[in-house]
Amino acid sequence: PPEDCSPSGSGVSSSKGSCSQLESASNLIAVVTGAGMLSLPFAAASMGWSAMVLLAVITACFVYSYVLLALSIEYILLRRGNEYDIVDYVVLGKEAFGSGGDKIVLVILISELFLALVSFFINIGININAINHGFGIPEAIVLSSVIAAVLACLDMKVISRFTAGGNIMTGLTIASLALSGAFLPADGSTEVHYKGLDIRGLPLSLGVMAYCFGGHGAFPKIYQSMAERHRYPVAISTVAAVVFSLYAVIISIGYAYYGSHTKIPVTINIGRDLQGMELPNARLLSIFASLGLICNIQATCPIIVLTIGDMYTTALGREHSNGRYVSLIVILFAMLIAVFLREDFLQVCGIVGSFSTITSSIFLPIIFYHQLFKYAEIPKTTYAIHIAVVCLAACAMFVGVTSSVCGITGSESALCTLTQPSND
């Protein structure tokens, strides 16, 4: 890219946020990590230990897309930053595609973020119910939405404190998962099987891992809230290291303990033996695992809500809309849909994640970059890397959506057979 548009050089625009490097990294980690990470052991059970290699590849692709987004945002801030309160995906779409481009991007991003919010409410409801069976899932979803509405009224710097707490509480989930193996019966009554590579499990693993790296729509707001954006490379490197390590640990522990018996999410396994029976002395582990997940997801909800509000306000203009009111309306509708779809939404979420998440997280950042820097001399190696990433993402999208549809319909066609993991 042109030298004056590098986020690590003198070309960083003078507009500043209020969040430190650590606070911004915490916000981004909270957005990226969430309910999906507890499905990662099941992805390994479907594909085998080779899922660790896939995790490394996907991590590199998504981190690279964050770099491209940062370059594109700085380009606009340096040239036309005074025209926008915040450069988000909608502004990127407008600057990259011209009139109408912002509306297309708006639909893609809001649909992804909104459905992610719905899935978060559902997961929080399920886990609250798991802790206290007398507290119904609908009531828990309502409670979660009220908390999200309160947090959404706070400043991003204050919210970062909650996301930091949520990230710390995630340690409870991991610790509970790690300790759960100590309570498993050692009599060998149930055999555990492992796989090295099951290529038929690749589509499911791709979809799950892509969903675990979602949240790109919230990135522009987090990035521009940094007080020292020239230190962004350090922040994103920290995020990549933390997220990859966290996901690798979850995969390693969950799959090592439960192997072919791994459930989705793995919290179903915690506190139970390999046959699914509750272990008398492991009830607290199940509670801690659910509590850690609840805190992590709940802290992420206000960032998603505020991002949707900012996108809507930017698209319509501040004189036609108010981001705070839009955020509250989004929470209300997400709550209602979550209550309605609490039993079967996750099946639909698999399809949406494979399509919209890959679109917003891989395709759009690359397109933005090439459209905004089309008059610059982009190295041929960069073109080659982007073509390879796009091809990989397109394949992941196709097989991920196909696998999800086949799983829902129960089809036994040849294509479905190829995209479903074996039962060995």
Side-chain angles (χ1 to χ4, degrees):
E3 188 174 309
D4 64 342
C5 295
S6 172
S8 59
S10 60
V12 176
S13 62
S14 59
S15 59
K16 293 183 178 181
S18 61
C19 292
S20 68
Q21 174 186 318
L22 182 60
E23 290 169 339
S24 298
S26 176
N27 285 336
L28 193 54
I29 291 172
V31 169
V32 174
T33 60
M37 65 182 178
L38 295 178
S39 300
L40 289 171
F42 184 78
S46 300
M47 183 179 175
W49 284 113
S50 55
M52 297 292 286
V53 177
L54 180 63
L55 176 65
V57 173
I58 292 180
T59 301
C61 290
F62 277 86
V63 169
Y64 184 63
S65 70
Y66 280 125
V67 173
L68 295 181
L69 283 175
L71 289 169
S72 300
I73 290 171
E74 287 298 334
Y75 180 93
I76 297 175
L77 287 175
L78 284 166
R79 285 157 176 75
R80 306 183 67 174
N82 61 331
E83 298 180 20
Y84 306 106
D85 293 329
I86 185 171
V87 178
D88 57 13
Y89 259 76
V90 176
V91 173
L92 287 168
K94 180 180 179 181
E95 293 291 331
F97 304 123
S99 178
D102 54 339
K103 304 300 188 297
I104 297 175
V105 173
L106 181 68
V107 171
I108 295 174
L109 262 295
I110 287 184
S111 63
E112 179 194 6
L113 291 173
F114 180 80
L115 289 171
L117 183 64
V118 172
S119 70
F120 283 2
F121 284 162
I122 293 175
N123 276 277
I124 291 173
I126 291 173
N127 281 277
I128 290 178
N129 176 258
I131 294 176
N132 183 357
H133 298 303
F135 207 92
I137 294 179
E139 291 82 0
I141 290 174
V142 173
L143 175 62
S144 175
S145 64
V146 171
I147 295 175
V150 172
L151 294 178
C153 295
L154 303 177
D155 180 78
M156 279 292 291
K157 188 174 181 65
V158 178
I159 292 175
S160 68
R161 303 289 194 272
F162 289 94
T163 60
N167 291 335
I168 293 173
M169 290 296 290
T170 303
L172 272 180
T173 301
I174 300 176
S176 299
L177 177 61
L179 292 173
S180 65
F183 290 87
L184 291 175
D187 55 8
S189 57
T190 304
E191 188 175 359
V192 180
H193 298 279
Y194 301 101
K195 294 183 285 189
L197 171 62
D198 181 0
I199 196 65
R200 288 168 53 186
L202 177 62
L204 186 148
S205 296
L206 278 171
V208 170
M209 290 187 182
Y211 181 74
C212 290
F213 284 89
H216 273 56
F219 169 78
K221 185 175 183 67
I222 295 174
Y223 174 71
Q224 289 165 88
S225 70
M226 290 185 68
E228 299 176 291
R229 292 205 300 276
H230 64 277
R231 304 189 67 181
Y232 168 73
V234 177
I236 195 62
S237 298
T238 301
V239 171
V242 171
V243 172
F244 175 79
S245 300
L246 174 64
Y247 286 175
V249 167
I250 292 175
I251 289 176
S252 300
I253 295 176
Y255 188 45
Y257 282 162
Y258 302 106
S260 56
H261 299 278
T262 305
K263 306 296 182 182
I264 182 170
V266 74
T267 47
I268 297 177
N269 291 104
I270 298 176
R272 299 174 182 271
D273 61 21
L274 297 179
Q275 296 176 330
M277 303 299 293
E278 287 192 5
L279 298 171
N281 299 325
R283 171 61 178 163
L284 281 178
L285 289 180
S286 178
I287 294 176
F288 287 152
S290 295
L291 183 61
L293 179 62
I294 290 170
C295 292
N296 178 278
I297 301 175
Q298 188 69 71
T300 308
C301 291
I303 297 179
I304 293 179
V305 170
L306 291 175
T307 300
I308 294 176
D310 285 343
M311 286 182 177
Y312 189 81
T313 299
T314 303
L316 296 185
R318 188 166 296 279
E319 67 276 10
H320 298 295
S321 62
N322 185 295
R324 293 291 181 180
Y325 290 130
V326 171
S327 298
L328 294 177
I329 293 174
V330 165
I331 292 175
L332 175 61
F333 277 98
M335 177 193 72
L336 295 175
I337 294 177
V339 171
F340 181 72
L341 297 176
R342 64 186 182 276
E343 294 182 357
D344 54 6
F345 176 77
L346 292 179
Q347 299 168 330
V348 178
C349 189
I351 300 176
V352 176
S354 298
F355 181 79
S356 61
T357 299
I358 290 178
T359 298
S360 63
S361 305
I362 299 294
F363 294 146
L364 288 182
I366 291 178
I367 294 173
F368 290 155
Y369 177 84
H370 283 276
Q371 284 294 105
L372 293 174
F373 293 107
K374 58 185 175 183
Y375 298 114
E377 293 185 5
I378 301 177
K380 292 182 179 179
T381 53
T382 302
Y383 276 111
I385 292 173
H386 291 179
I387 291 174
V389 172
V390 167
C391 290
L392 175 64
C395 293
M397 177 183 290
F398 174 76
V399 298
V401 171
T402 301
S403 178
S404 298
V405 171
C406 292
I408 293 174
T409 60
S411 174
E412 298 182 359
S413 65
L415 181 60
C416 288
T417 301
L418 290 174
T419 58
Q420 296 298 306
S422 63
N423 296 322
D424 297 334

